[in-house]
Amino acid sequence: VGIAREVAALTGGKLSIPEIATVENTQTAKNLTLKISETQACPAYIGTVVENIKIAPSPEWLQQRLRSAGVRPINNVVDITNYVLLERGQPLHAFDKNRLESLSGEEQLIMGVRFAKTGETLKTLDGNNRNLSPQNLLITANNHPVALAGVMGGEATEVYEGTQSLVLEAALFDSVVIRRSSRSLGLRSEASGRYERGVNRAELEIACHRALSLIQELAAGVIVQQQISDYRPDISTWSHSIDLRLDKINQVLGPIELGQETGELQPEDVEKILTALGCELVKTEENTWNVTVPPYRYRDLEREIDLIEEIARLYGYDKFCDTLPEKSQAGYLSLDQELIRRLRGYLRAEGLTELMQYSLVKPGEDKQIVLSNPLFAEYSALRTDLISGLITAFQYNLEQGNGSLNGFEIGRIFWREEEGLQEAEVLAGIIGGDITSGKWSRGGKEKAITWFEAKGILESVFKELKLLVEFQPENRDSRLHPGRTASLWIKGNRLGTFGQIHPQLRREKDLPEAVYVFQLDLDTLLDAWDHDDLLIPKFSSYSTYPASDRDLAFFAPMKVTVCELEKVINKAGKGLLSFVELFDEYRGENVPAGQRSLAFRLVYRASDRTLTENEIEPVHNQVRSALVEKFGVNLRS
């Protein structure tokens, strides 16, 4: 029927659908009742008792049509249910009434719909015994399972050569319930496939009457009773109205080809197409209609855009203009894509392998976003950081005999705040493997990487990015060593965290002695990057004049970081000072309590001349004075 409607609409031909013959119902029996306990899973059920059935082969025309559709003819009753399934898209099932009564042991027959109980079994028409679960929806006779609802009937109640009376089932089942039931048993059928996609709720009675009229005609059946359980919404909701605008149609679909010229769809084109589809159009104003959708299309024609799609499909996609750009342009990467590619390259150059992990993790952390429909409990929440996953990956590689892992990952993290759900893109990494190239001099043993070597990898990347990043002591993350953790700052903005894994966590995970992790906010990093230097590199000439270096040693308070000292030195020596390096630190004998001895090498250079002692000395003294004034250091040289 659906194909006939479509062909008629495409060709303009006359639609000829078989008329449903009048069904004679004597209503002489009263021994069938319905008990539908799951009305949401089965919103409608029609049970019809038919007596005086004469089972025989179907007429040749019916057998031929079934064979043409790939269905094997069986007998007149089963063939009729299969034929109506193909014709109307409505699955039906016929039970042998005498077998139902003998199975239940009572003449009063109560047909029911309920979910299976754990441990119940049913032998289906394919001859297999099925172990049922609470996911399986059942048809029951006096509470005894007789069929898998919407999937397959039971072998014990099937129609056979000796059948004299039957109960014809015509029902609607929820698509999700049937899909779960079918999947749980690994069983798919023609009926389940249609219920899963959704059948036409508006024409259940038409399909049922069609099957009953054929049973009366081909099997000499006499209808003696019909019971109906109907919990469907009001029938008026199956035929709704949609406002349709001609301007919107032409805006979405574009111009059409009219020979050598182009044009637009006209009102008569729209009315002709939608009328052919069974819609009723009422003009509300010029070039605007109120379209009433036929009941059999209520599921897929819900919005204005659905009607526009139907108009384009029936008018012909090939009749619309396909204009291409006059001149193709080469593609290019956006600025952020280019920056991230370079960042990945710098990290790989430092010996780090790029990693990729699931965004889904186990639940249980603070501010975590938990999924409402997870596939697995182990992957039911979104990750709040990348560090936990990197530690797990490090541990897994060790257990698999792949050695220590040096890697990085760029990915998104998610968390919950009072104002709503948040997400951000971050860069994280883990460093714990031996970064040296040869181990023959150490008898094949790995050398644990130090905190400064791991920090140096990050600093090398920042140097390539031409970024000045400050490291400040921090003790915020319980997974990291309280005395070997630093926060990273760039231009006054917090960039991220770098630190060594806490000894307790290291023992729990059975990790090597020294493993370091970092996590940086990618947006902050990209915002601080000088984009102009990336897109248009600037050349700085090298000085051809010799440099002059000075050593500067002093006692400094322990709380003063080297970063703070270098910042003051560079500011005081600006202009002539080209390089500052810490080359010695000493704590112990002859050093005042609460202080440490530091020694820096300062290199002075000019690009246009050789510096003299008289030029260097005032600047060097200015550096010394700034250190004393700012931090109260005790100069030794």
Side-chain angles (χ1 to χ4, degrees), residues 309-376:
E309 180 185 355
E310 292 297 289
I311 293 168
R313 188 172 60 82
L314 268 72
Y315 189 81
Y317 292 126
D318 56 322
K319 296 179 182 178
F320 290 90
C321 297
D322 49 353
T323 54
L324 297 174
E326 294 181 2
K327 182 180 179 181
S328 60
Q329 296 182 351
Y332 63 93
L333 295 175
S334 68
L335 182 59
D336 281 353
Q337 289 173 325
E338 182 68 29
L339 294 175
I340 291 175
R341 284 198 176 190
R342 296 210 176 190
L343 176 60
R344 283 190 166 104
Y346 296 146
L347 290 163
R348 288 194 297 266
E350 292 297 325
L352 303 185
T353 301
E354 184 165 7
L355 312 174
M356 188 176 294
Q357 304 180 85
Y358 288 124
S359 297
L360 299 174
V361 296
K362 290 182 180 180
E365 298 180 11
D366 292 337
K367 299 184 178 180
Q368 209 170 37
I369 301 172
V370 180
L371 304 184
S372 58
N373 58 338
L375 290 176
F376 303 101

Side-chain angles (χ1 to χ4, degrees), residues 85 214 228 308 345 448 490 574 585:
L85 170 71
L214 288 172
I228 301 175
I308 295 173
I490 183 168
K574 189 175 182 182
E585 179 192 26

Side-chain angles (χ1 to χ4, degrees), residues 520-560:
L520 313 177
D521 184 89
L522 197 60
D523 289 335
T524 303
L525 187 66
L526 296 179
D527 290 342
W529 202 345
D530 192 340
H531 300 164
D532 292 336
D533 284 354
L534 173 68
L535 300 176
I536 307 174
K538 296 179 182 178
F539 173 74
S540 298
S541 60
Y542 295 95
S543 175
T544 57
Y545 297 93
S548 179
D549 60 320
R550 297 284 190 278
D551 289 346
L552 183 60
F554 50 83
F555 296 124
M558 294 288 294
K559 64 181 180 180
V560 179

Side-chain angles (χ1 to χ4, degrees), residues 106-279:
E106 300 178 21
E107 288 188 8
Q108 184 64 32
L109 197 57
I110 303 175
M111 299 297 292
V113 179
R114 63 171 173 83
F115 284 103
K117 301 172 184 176
T118 303
E120 281 188 301
T121 61
L122 175 68
K123 191 173 185 179
T124 49
L125 286 173
D126 56 4
N128 294 323
N129 277 309
R130 308 285 178 177
N131 295 317
L132 307 178
S133 69
Q135 286 187 323
N136 302 124
L137 190 67
L138 296 179
I139 307 297
T140 62
N142 294 354
N143 210 32
H144 293 280
V146 294
L148 283 170
V151 181
M152 187 173 287
E155 188 180 72
T157 57
E158 70 174 324
V159 173
Y160 70 111
E161 292 81 357
T163 297
Q164 296 179 348
S165 61
L166 57 85
V167 176
L168 181 69
E169 168 192 290
L172 297 176
F173 299 111
D174 181 73
S175 58
V176 175
V177 171
I178 301 304
R179 186 181 301 115
R180 287 175 179 167
S181 177
S182 174
R183 183 183 295 177
S184 68
L185 294 172
L187 177 63
R188 284 186 61 84
S189 63
E190 289 287 334
S192 69
R194 282 166 170 78
Y195 279 123
E196 288 177 19
R197 292 189 294 269
V199 299
N200 185 2
R201 296 189 169 206
E203 296 188 345
L204 175 65
E205 290 83 359
I206 295 176
C208 181
H209 289 167
R210 171 66 166 159
L212 290 173
S213 66
L214 288 172
I215 289 174
Q216 287 179 330
E217 177 186 348
L218 304 180
V222 177
I223 300 172
V224 298
Q225 185 183 2
Q226 187 175 79
Q227 293 292 110
I228 301 175
S229 170
D230 193 353
Y231 291 89
R232 288 173 291 180
D234 184 56
I235 193 169
S236 62
T237 62
W238 299 337
S239 182
H240 52 270
S241 298
I242 304 170
D243 291 329
L244 179 64
R245 299 161 292 173
L246 183 62
D247 290 344
K248 184 66 173 179
I249 296 171
N250 288 315
Q251 177 190 349
V252 172
L253 300 181
I256 56 176
E257 294 180 350
L258 301 173
Q260 300 296 324
E261 300 178 353
T262 61
E264 293 183 337
L265 285 172
Q266 299 301 311
E268 53 268 22
D269 299 324
V270 175
E271 292 172 355
K272 178 182 177 182
I273 291 171
L274 294 181
T275 302
L277 288 174
C279 298

